[in-house]
Structure formats: C-alpha cells, structure tokens
Amino acid sequence: MNYWLLKSEPDVFSIDDLKKQKTTLWDGVRNYQARNFLMAMQVGDLAFFYHSSTEPPGIVGLCRVLETHIADPSQFDPQSPYFDPKSSEDNPRWWTVRVGFVEKYKQMLTLEVLRAKFSPDELILLRRGNRLSVMPITSGVADRIIALKASR
C-alpha cells in the first residue's frame, strides 16, 4: 500500500463533502506531475486529505483509493473550467481516481505542526515553491503522521 496527500480548497470540496458523498472522483487536476502521481495510485492506497487556501491549512482526514485509471470527464466538458480542447475521448490527457471517505480527524494537523515535525526532504508539501495538489508520502512519514494524529 502507498500513501498520498490530496489537497483541496474546503470551499470547493471539503472533507465534510466527502464524508457526506462517501466517494468522489478526484477530478480537475491539470498539472502533469500531479497527474502522473494520480496514475501511479493503486486501489487500496490511503491519502491524507489536506485543506489548502484556508487559514490555517492542514490535514483534516483520510481517504482510500477505490478505483484508478479513470479518464477525467471534466476534460471533455466545454462548460467545465477544466475543459481541455486538445484532449479527446480516444486519447485523454488527464486521468483521475475515485476515492472514498475513511476518517475525519477530530483536530486538524496544521501546516505549522507539520513544519515542526517534518523536514522538506521528508514531506514534499513543505518544499519551497511546491504547489502540487497530489503528492506521494513515504510509509515512514505516513506512520508518523498517523501517530501524530493519534496523540492529539
């Protein structure tokens, strides 16, 4: 099993939205490196759900990868802000996964707490200039995040 971090703005899609819906497509990713991480995901992988562009930002829960290698339908929808006119159903550019709700944390693990406990070499999220919305987490770091959550 692999671990990931998925970033979402809570006013767009929050952990509460996922809890209510139970599952969702993680669509709208338009960065090639993040797309490649989505393509590397496997059914059963766990992802930390991170609220970004909020104060404070941080990890608010956990979700599980339920389905992989799904052509992101928003790339084909001319009404979508994620429409890609260079993509076709025969040759899609953008791929996604379906995730399911696992857990909402009682207390957010804020970016400040993460910075105090991890180095930028350990957690890509902390690297200067990093804006990826999807990123891998090593199992050792994931274990420490889970332990940190349990201690709060």
Side-chain angles (χ1 to χ4, degrees), residues 50-75:
Y50 184 90
H51 279 175
S52 64
S53 298
T54 189
E55 200 50 50
I59 296 174
V60 293
L62 200 58
C63 55
R64 182 178 308 279
V65 177
L66 302 176
E67 189 178 351
T68 60
H69 300 101
I70 302 166
D72 183 337
S74 65
Q75 69 190 309

Side-chain angles (χ1 to χ4, degrees), residues 38-117:
L38 286 168
M39 291 174 66
M41 290 181 178
Q42 299 173 8
V43 171
D45 286 355
L46 289 174
F48 296 99
F49 198 115
Y50 184 90
H51 279 175
S52 64
S53 298
T54 189
E55 200 50 50
I59 296 174
V60 293
L62 200 58
C63 55
R64 182 178 308 279
V65 177
L66 302 176
E67 189 178 351
T68 60
H69 300 101
I70 302 166
D72 183 337
S74 65
Q75 69 190 309
F76 309 123
D77 179 1
Q79 304 306 312
S80 171
Y82 304 110
F83 175 63
D84 183 345
K86 294 182 180 177
S87 188
S88 70
E89 292 195 31
D90 293 338
N91 189 21
R93 283 182 168 189
W94 304 105
W95 297 88
T96 191
V97 297
R98 178 173 300 283
V99 297
F101 177 81
V102 172
E103 174 184 16
K104 178 181 176 181
Y105 291 173
K106 288 182 176 128
Q107 186 174 0
M108 173 191 283
L109 295 175
T110 65
L111 181 58
E112 181 180 327
V113 167
L114 296 171
R115 280 191 177 125
K117 300 291 183 181

